[in-house]
Amino acid sequence: MRLARTVALVAHLVVVWLAAVTLVPRLGADTRAVWLARFARQTLGILGVRLVRRGARGPVDGPVLVVANHVSWLDVYALQAWRGGRSVAKREVCDWPVAGAIVRGFGTFFIVRGCCRDAARVKDTVAAALRAGERVVVFPEGTTTDGAAVGRFYAALLQAAVDAGVPVQPVALRYLASDGARDPAAAFVGDMSFVDSLRQVLGRRALAAELTWGPLLQPAGETRRTLAATSHRFIATALCDVPDLPRPIRLPQAA
């Protein structure tokens, strides 16, 4: 099973890489988002990761800043599989072989972690994309956790939603085994290498990425800190598995 998935993943990434370096940069934002969502869903399907949605509202169309907790490199695929959207990644990813070309082609924003000046630059760039009608995904923790709880949120990038006047939508993300218990296989933490993480994911017969979508938070009259605090509170509560949340809805796999 692991070997078959690895071969399928390599073939898939070759196709995505070719599209990212030749076709995708010429597409408009809306079409690019559609392609990105399709590729993300196909990637998760190859890895054996199914998507499960919870929450009263679900993902929305139009410009929105999606704010999520950060567990794994799988998070971006899980979030982009619903509506596409650009994301923010650490600067080092830009130079990764193959993966760097793919994320550059799909319009990822790169940030130098720990640099306030660069955070301000990325905030302005994200705000411009939001004003242009795009969706953007950010992880305010700035690092990954094991998914058992949510870490501190850094509010800097939420200023982009305030500046652009677009809503923020928090999303709680966790990975579950077939019995519904939290599965640590997806967690990409500590000194773990990407190869080790990928091996763990490929070795799971059943892994679900559960996303609990929160309400839209309007920025009018709010500050980035209050938006970050409200988002953090929603995600932390959702990760505690509040019993009155709507029943899960499974996303059909892309062809």
Side-chain angles (χ1 to χ4, degrees), residues 5-247:
R5 286 180 176 173
T6 301
V7 172
L9 181 62
V10 170
H12 173 66
L13 289 178
V14 169
V15 173
V16 175
W17 175 80
L18 286 172
V21 299
T22 60
L23 177 62
V24 174
R26 304 192 196 118
L27 301 176
D30 291 343
T31 306
R32 181 179 59 199
V34 171
W35 279 58
L36 185 56
R38 180 178 300 170
F39 283 141
R41 290 168 66 172
Q42 290 172 343
T43 302
L44 292 174
I46 291 170
L47 293 171
V49 180
R50 64 184 178 90
L51 289 167
V52 177
R53 193 200 88 189
R54 296 180 70 183
R57 187 180 190 100
V60 297
D61 292 317
V64 62
L65 186 70
V66 177
V67 172
N69 60 305
H70 203 8
V71 179
S72 172
W73 52 271
L74 288 170
D75 299 348
V76 173
Y77 292 108
L79 290 161
Q80 291 177 336
W82 293 94
R83 293 285 190 277
R86 301 168 72 177
S87 61
V88 177
K90 60 182 180 180
R91 174 62 181 79
E92 293 85 345
V93 175
C94 181
D95 298 323
W96 286 1
V98 182
I102 291 174
V103 295
R104 288 196 305 271
F106 279 101
T108 298
F109 303 101
F110 297 104
I111 187 170
V112 177
R113 293 193 297 186
C115 178
C116 295
R117 179 176 298 178
D118 199 58
R121 176 191 63 82
V122 175
K123 181 268 295 181
D124 290 340
T125 308
V126 170
L130 293 171
R131 291 190 192 97
E134 298 190 65
R135 296 167 54 82
V136 180
V137 176
V138 298
F139 301 102
E141 287 169 294
T143 188
T144 53
T145 70
D146 63 4
V150 58
R152 174 188 174 186
F153 271 13
Y154 295 91
L157 291 182
L158 276 78
Q159 184 64 40
V162 177
D163 293 348
V166 304
V168 170
Q169 187 171 29
V171 185
L173 200 158
R174 62 180 177 176
Y175 294 88
L176 306 176
S178 56
D179 61 358
R182 186 175 63 85
D183 192 329
F188 187 39
V189 293
D191 297 328
M192 178 181 291
S193 70
F194 175 77
V195 173
D196 289 338
S197 177
L198 179 61
R199 186 181 295 116
Q200 284 192 170
V201 172
L202 290 172
R204 283 293 194 269
R205 288 191 175 276
L207 184 64
E210 181 189 77
L211 287 79
T212 304
W213 296 83
L216 289 181
L217 308 177
Q218 300 298 333
E222 303 290 344
T223 68
R224 65 188 184 192
R225 289 184 175 82
T226 58
L227 290 171
T230 304
S231 298
H232 187 282
R233 184 165 53 250
F234 171 84
I235 293 171
T237 301
L239 292 179
C240 291
D241 201 14
V242 176
D244 60 351
L245 288 172
R247 295 181 61 184

